[in-house]
Amino acid sequence: MKLAGKHIAITGALMFYTRAEAFAEIAAAGGIPQSSVTRETEILVVGNYHKNAIPDGKSRKLKTAERYIACGIKIDIITGEMFLRLLWWT
């Protein structure tokens, strides 16, 4: 999976990057950073979030992505670790 040309949103906190740094890395890799999940989103990066902040364990962005997927829109949901691998080794 390549990041170039892909619309990419992030939910939760990433281990090695702030949100702004991650968006800059996405842009540097040729991707298109998004602040929210839309019908154009192709990749959703799911980082960590505090369990007390999200009682049911799913962020609003993750729920939105799952609704789009259920409607036939292809969105790859990847972990923060997979995102780092894509940035660092592709």
Side-chain angles (χ1 to χ4, degrees), residues 31-46:
I32 303 146
Q34 294 183 294
S35 59
S36 60
V37 174
T38 69
R39 292 179 180 273
E40 292 183 334
T41 304
E42 296 164 280
I43 300 173
L44 175 62
V45 180
V46 179

Side-chain angles (χ1 to χ4, degrees), residues 25-80:
E25 291 290 336
I26 289 168
I32 303 146
Q34 294 183 294
S35 59
S36 60
V37 174
T38 69
R39 292 179 180 273
E40 292 183 334
T41 304
E42 296 164 280
I43 300 173
L44 175 62
V45 180
V46 179
N48 298 316
Y49 32 83
H50 194 276
K51 292 181 189 211
N52 292 337
I54 303 178
D56 67 356
K58 292 185 179 182
S59 70
R60 181 179 48 83
K61 290 178 187 174
L62 180 54
K63 290 176 187 176
T64 300
E66 289 175 340
R67 279 195 306 273
Y68 284 141
I69 291 167
C71 292
I73 296 170
K74 182 170 177 1
I75 298 175
D76 292 316
I77 299 173
I78 65 172
T79 64

